[in-house]
Amino acid sequence: MKTIQVVAAVIHKNHQIFATARGYGDYKGRWEFPGGKIEPGETPRQALEREIWEDLNVRIEVGAQIGTIEWDYPTFHLSMACFWCVIITGELMLKEAEAAKWLSRAELDSLDWLPADRELVERLRNSPPI
């Protein structure tokens, strides 16, 4: 099975976490943490900074790694490195997503998450407060 290496940003501010609804593909409308694929020659942190700039029009500071989610989808294996992030410049603009929300940790369960992102939500529930 093919493995796809991706990164995800858990962007936080004022005790809330940013989530986006996928705007395309088989999982259109399902919720995820923003990010994307790692390109050849990039570190996960570089990929995350680039993807967030391309998709959301903001510059971020990539903080501590939360962990890596390994998830088997029907046609590929996903390896998703997840990091705490904060916005340092810019105004959020949705270029790929169809919707976005700022959520408290208690509100995270209110969304229809992609399977791998659901695993990250579980980890966030048990992590220290932000």
Side-chain angles (χ1 to χ4, degrees), residues 66 84 105 122-130:
I66 299 164
W84 289 110
R105 284 194 200 207
E122 294 298 322
R123 289 190 189 188
L124 293 176
R125 186 176 294 114
N126 299 317
S127 67
I130 48 175

Side-chain angles (χ1 to χ4, degrees), residues 2-9 22 24 32-39 42-48 50-51 65 67-71 73 76-83 114 116-117 120:
K2 179 181 178 180
T3 295
I4 298 177
Q5 301 276 338
V6 300
V7 286
R22 188 168 274 247
Y24 58 90
E32 63 186 347
F33 294 95
K37 292 180 183 174
I38 301 172
E39 293 182 355
E42 282 184 321
T43 68
R45 289 172 183 275
Q46 290 168 332
L48 198 50
R50 176 187 51 75
E51 285 285 350
Q65 185 169 356
T68 300
I69 305 292
E70 303 290 341
W71 192 268
Y73 283 92
F76 63 93
H77 176 80
L78 185 78
S79 182
M80 182 170 68
C82 309
F83 295 86
L114 288 169
D117 292 84
L120 180 53

Side-chain angles (χ1 to χ4, degrees), residues 107-126:
E107 295 170 315
L108 290 174
D109 283 331
S110 68
L111 301 180
D112 182 19
W113 294 96
L114 288 169
D117 292 84
R118 165 69 51 202
E119 179 71 23
L120 180 53
V121 166
E122 294 298 322
R123 289 190 189 188
L124 293 176
R125 186 176 294 114
N126 299 317

